[in-house]
Amino acid sequence: HSDAKKQVDIVRVANVEGRKVSILGPSSIKWTNCPVKTEHGDKVGIENISVNDFKAKCSFVSTTKNHFNEETESLSLYLKQIERLDAPDSPPTKVVIFLPGTPGGDSATLENDLINFSKLFPDGDAHAYTTEYRGGGRSNRLGCILSQAETDGSPSGFKIDWEFEFEACIQEFKEEHNANDFSVDQIALDVLHLIRSIDNQIAAQNPINYYIYGYSFGGYLINRVMQYYASEDTSFSNEFTIRGIILDGPQSPGPDRFDYGTWDIPVEQVGENILEYCDKYEECSHKFLDKNFLPMKVYPRLQHVFTKLYNNTYERHDHEDRCYKNVMKYSLLKHPLMLKRLLGNMIGDCSLRSYVPAIIHRLDRCDEIFHKDVTTVMKVLTEYFEKLYGDPKRVPRKSTMLLSNIAYSELYSSNITVQHMREIVEKQYFAYGNFDEAFFRSQWPTVDPSNFVGKPVDLSKLDVNILVMVGDLDATTDQTKINSFFKALNTKGKKSLLQFDHTPHHVVRNSFMTESDTNSTCGMEVLEDFVKNPEENVNFGCKTLLVDPAFNGNKELNLQWWGVEDIWNGLYEVPGSAPYVSLWLLVGVESATLLASTLIILFCFYWAVYEKCQVRKWRKKAQSNDGYNTL
């Protein structure tokens, strides 16, 4: 959707940090009823909740293509609101804007969060909105059009092939766009323009308190949004009230800033932590037994797996050859980087991280007897690969070009080289391993983010509450950097940093509890309390209910991902293949059959002898008692 060449209403020009910023008048919002979920299906991640209990409306909101240029064409920003079906028509007193986590991502990943949040406000006192950043999703998505890299006829389908197509996409971006038009600065001002437009529509009857929620990159972005909001030159804080900001596993803007070049480092630490949990729980640790049937540490077994499969100097025994040959048949396992990537991403998924020890266990024991483990492991890895990298035949909403623009032009430190990134990953067993794509960074136009990078927002003159939530198993957020960022934050309101045990990235979605009166997550309950009671300290009572890691999965998911119920020992049969019988099972069955046959024969022999002896005994007794006829 585009309103190209259409001029937007500029009400004034402010001087911020030595640059002129165009302050736009509120844009009109014309709502259209739309489906609650962008993706098919009615599951929302929480039990006993259906999309049929909610309603949604969508709109496009005009903004300027460049907030730092008074004469520019417009862009359209996608805006969506979700609320309960039975919500009253009265205007709210609170509005929460949910910002996506990935530059270039779409808002579909947040729709479940909006549903679960709205469920907690049956009186409709708080409304939930989400948007998509300029250049991504349905907000004038940046694509690779001229080279047709995102068409069904390209070698990788709708996915851009990094090796063969991406250079042409870079050239197209340079010719058609300005990197500064799709920068963090522009997106931050878009967010404030959206709030102003919403406020103009609904705040006539009641003053509204606004809250901005962002996870991952969304949390990074909020820091810049609030810098513009707090600026006396923009006067945004005089026109509407932002009462609180919620940073969920944010990327740190400073003082120790997030850097794409080093973001693999915390992934390894979280991977180790998850395996240490396995060491503590018998259901997991007792799968890794040595020759004396004593539990072994899991992390060294992972090291052994990589040595066995990928170290050319490793002397494989004859019984390991069949396993090795089986592994090398699969492209996903031929190179250690792909296995590292799959494991590194899997530990960030609350449902699938429990599979990591089982994968290690099967590859570790794989030999002449257990070579069939490879087929079973490949089932789950292939399923996850398709989920992770998407269906190449599916029309994309996410924008690789917007992600690349923000990542390459703003989120890499200039002193980080591709070689340095490669060296980091080579030392690890869990990684994202995106250094291959970083080869293109030198070809991408740069944007100077020095106006805000390394500078946590100063809200000392504004009564804005700050809530930072981080999972202790968050592989994407560097805990040390967040601690220094939080310490540097300054506000007139309250600020809280909460750590959620056993929780990965995206706390509001993934902080599951053993029990809950609201049938929600712990992070969502904390968010609800933060919005409902801004004057009170945040209630973190649900921390004691956070679930422990589980390592056996559940029957439904196991069948979906592994094709078997038992992820430790079940054997997946490829459809159409000859049935496979484990050697140990065969030996066991044959031994049991032989034993049973022997026992039956012995029993029959015993019975025959016993009966014959009994007859003789009674016959002698009858004869001795002259009772032969009676007998």
Side-chain angles (χ1 to χ4, degrees):
H1 178 86
S2 175
D3 291 328
K5 307 302 181 183
K6 176 183 174 183
Q7 297 296 313
V8 291
D9 182 23
I10 299 175
V11 295
R12 65 180 183 277
V13 176
N15 194 320
V16 182
E17 301 164 352
R19 294 186 297 174
K20 291 183 177 180
V21 178
S22 298
I23 307 300
L24 308 181
S27 296
S28 62
I29 302 177
K30 299 178 181 178
W31 294 108
T32 299
N33 292 333
C34 57
V36 174
K37 293 288 291 291
T38 301
E39 301 286 351
H40 176 69
D42 61 354
K43 291 186 177 180
V44 296
I46 298 292
E47 244 180 87
N48 303 322
I49 302 178
S50 169
V51 294
N52 298 324
D53 299 326
F54 298 84
K55 58 185 177 181
K57 54 185 181 180
C58 303
S59 180
F60 287 110
V61 179
S62 296
T63 187
T64 179
K65 188 173 184 179
N66 191 327
H67 289 277
F68 304 98
N69 188 336
E70 294 183 49
E71 295 184 5
T72 180
E73 60 193 49
S74 71
L75 296 176
S76 293
L77 302 175
Y78 175 79
L79 184 66
K80 184 171 188 175
Q81 182 198 348
I82 295 177
E83 61 182 340
R84 293 169 61 112
L85 198 62
D86 58 359
D89 293 330
S90 57
T93 61
K94 305 174 183 70
V95 165
V96 181
I97 310 293
F98 287 79
L99 300 181
T102 305
D106 68 338
S107 61
T109 57
L110 284 170
E111 288 169 347
N112 284 351
D113 295 340
L114 269 70
I115 291 170
N116 295 328
F117 177 83
S118 301
K119 173 184 69 72
L120 300 174
F121 291 86
D123 56 0
D125 188 45
H127 282 185
Y129 294 79
T130 188
T131 185
E132 292 170 352
Y133 306 134
R134 59 168 59 205
R138 287 152 284 199
S139 294
N140 289 97
R141 179 183 177 275
L142 290 175
C144 191
I145 301 171
L146 296 180
S147 63
Q148 300 186 50
E150 295 178 299
T151 62
D152 196 26
S154 77
S156 296
F158 289 102
K159 289 177 63 64
I160 298 175
D161 188 290
W162 290 96
E163 185 176 358
F164 301 108
E165 298 175 328
F166 196 63
E167 284 196 67
C169 294
I170 296 174
Q171 187 61 34
E172 178 181 331
F173 181 86
K174 288 179 178 179
E175 293 175 359
E176 298 293 325
H177 304 287
N178 186 327
N180 286 281
D181 290 345
F182 298 92
S183 64
V184 170
D185 264 327
Q186 302 285 0
I187 296 172
L189 289 165
D190 284 344
V191 172
L192 291 168
H193 176 60
L194 284 174
I195 294 175
R196 186 173 187 178
S197 299
I198 294 170
D199 192 72
N200 181 67
Q201 185 181 66
I202 66 175
Q205 301 178 43
N206 292 319
I208 306 292
N209 282 327
Y210 290 91
Y211 296 80
I212 310 178
Y213 166 91
Y215 81 98
S216 199
F217 170 76
Y220 177 95
L221 174 65
I222 287 176
N223 186 72
R224 189 53 171 159
V225 172
M226 297 308 292
Q227 285 176 341
Y228 280 120
Y229 176 75
S231 170
E232 295 180 355
D233 297 312
T234 62
S235 297
F236 285 123
S237 60
N238 295 326
E239 298 176 11
F240 51 83
T241 301
I242 295 179
R243 190 70 178 87
I245 55 176
I246 305 96
L247 313 179
D248 183 347
Q251 306 299 356
S252 171
D256 188 6
R257 63 163 287 191
F258 165 75
D259 187 342
Y260 255 119
T262 59
W263 79 325
D264 272 308
I265 293 175
V267 182
E268 179 74 3
Q269 185 57 58
V270 170
E272 283 191 56
N273 292 345
I274 288 176
L275 298 188
E276 286 176 3
Y277 275 116
C278 175
D279 293 334
K280 297 175 183 177
Y281 291 88
E282 286 191 5
E283 68 173 20
C284 188
S285 64
H286 281 213
K287 305 294 183 182
F288 297 85
L289 301 178
D290 62 16
K291 294 179 180 179
N292 298 317
F293 299 99
L294 296 174
M296 298 182 288
K297 297 291 184 182
V298 182
Y299 189 75
R301 304 320 303 163
L302 173 62
Q303 294 173 316
H304 176 253
V305 166
F306 275 85
T307 300
K308 182 170 75 171
L309 297 182
Y310 304 114
N311 189 338
N312 293 329
T313 63
Y314 178 76
E315 295 184 8
R316 295 179 189 86
H317 301 290
D318 291 340
H319 66 271
E320 291 178 314
D321 278 344
R322 188 172 184 183
C323 171
Y324 174 76
K325 291 174 182 177
N326 245 10
V327 168
M328 292 302 115
K329 287 192 306 184
Y330 297 99
S331 59
L332 281 184
L333 291 180
K334 277 187 176 180
H335 196 282
L337 177 59
M338 182 52 71
L339 182 56
K340 291 179 180 183
R341 282 177 169 172
L342 291 170
L343 295 179
N345 283 278
M346 194 172 280
I347 60 174
D349 190 303
C350 210
S351 300
L352 302 184
R353 65 185 180 183
S354 61
Y355 293 158
V356 171
I359 292 172
I360 296 171
H361 176 61
R362 285 174 176 269
L363 293 178
D364 182 37
R365 75 180 181 183
C366 180
D367 56 18
E368 185 70 20
I369 296 174
F370 291 107
H371 66 91
K372 192 69 176 180
D373 276 330
V374 177
T375 305
T376 310
V377 167
M378 280 308 305
K379 169 70 165 80
V380 64
L381 292 182
T382 302
E383 291 282 347
Y384 187 64
F385 177 85
E386 292 175 356
K387 174 189 176 184
L388 187 63
Y389 292 98
D391 183 353
K393 298 299 182 183
R394 184 177 183 178
V395 179
R397 290 188 304 272
K398 296 180 180 180
S399 171
T400 301
M401 305 310 292
L402 177 60
L403 170 61
S404 300
N405 184 59
I406 292 178
Y408 295 151
S409 65
E410 299 188 62
L411 298 182
Y412 275 100
S413 293
S414 58
N415 61 339
I416 298 293
T417 64
V418 173
Q419 181 59 32
H420 178 63
M421 296 171 63
R422 185 188 295 275
E423 289 171 357
I424 291 174
V425 173
E426 286 177 351
K427 297 175 184 177
Q428 301 185 178
Y429 300 100
F430 298 92
Y432 295 140
N434 295 325
F435 56 78
D436 287 340
E437 292 106 2
F439 278 111
F440 298 104
R441 181 162 59 98
S442 60
Q443 303 179 40
W444 203 274
T446 59
V447 173
D448 181 13
S450 60
N451 286 324
F452 65 92
V453 165
K455 302 172 184 176
V457 61
D458 182 5
L459 300 172
S460 57
K461 296 181 180 179
L462 297 172
D463 190 14
V464 178
N465 294 332
I466 301 173
L467 172 62
V468 181
M469 300 188 288
V470 183
D472 72 332
L473 294 179
D474 186 340
T476 305
T477 301
D478 190 313
Q479 306 273 348
T480 304
K481 292 183 177 183
I482 290 303
N483 290 337
S484 63
F485 167 63
F486 179 78
K487 186 176 180 180
L489 284 172
N490 193 8
T491 180
K492 188 178 177 181
K494 294 180 173 66
K495 68 173 187 175
S496 304
L497 172 60
L498 306 182
Q499 186 178 75
F500 291 70
D501 297 338
H502 317 144
T503 303
H505 200 47
H506 200 164
V507 170
V508 157
R509 178 178 302 172
N510 293 317
S511 51
F512 296 106
M513 297 184 288
T514 54
E515 57 185 47
S516 169
D517 294 335
T518 62
N519 201 19
S520 188
T521 65
C522 183
M524 186 61 75
E525 287 191 1
V526 170
L527 174 57
E528 174 198 11
D529 184 70
F530 182 76
V531 173
K532 281 185 176 179
N533 307 298
E535 306 301 330
E536 306 294 332
N537 292 325
V538 178
N539 182 357
F540 197 22
C542 60
K543 181 177 182 179
T544 59
L545 300 176
L546 290 166
V547 298
D548 293 338
F551 294 102
N552 291 324
N554 67 64
K555 179 179 177 180
E556 183 180 353
L557 283 179
N558 294 352
L559 288 172
Q560 175 187 341
W561 292 98
W562 291 79
V564 295
E565 294 183 22
D566 181 0
I567 65 175
W568 295 95
N569 295 302
L571 294 175
Y572 171 69
E573 296 292 342
V574 178
S577 64
Y580 171 82
V581 179
S582 164
L583 177 59
W584 286 116
L585 179 62
L586 182 62
V587 171
V589 171
E590 291 297 330
S591 300
T593 303
L594 180 60
L595 178 62
S597 302
T598 303
L599 290 175
I600 291 172
I601 293 171
L602 290 174
F603 178 77
C604 291
F605 180 75
Y606 166 79
W607 184 256
V609 173
Y610 173 81
E611 284 296 308
K612 189 173 182 180
C613 292
Q614 286 292 96
V615 169
R616 287 179 177 177
K617 178 181 177 182
W618 282 102
R619 183 175 293 166
K620 288 180 180 180
K621 183 177 180 180
Q623 289 174 347
S624 63
N625 294 330
D626 297 322
Y628 183 76
N629 292 330
T630 303
L631 177 63

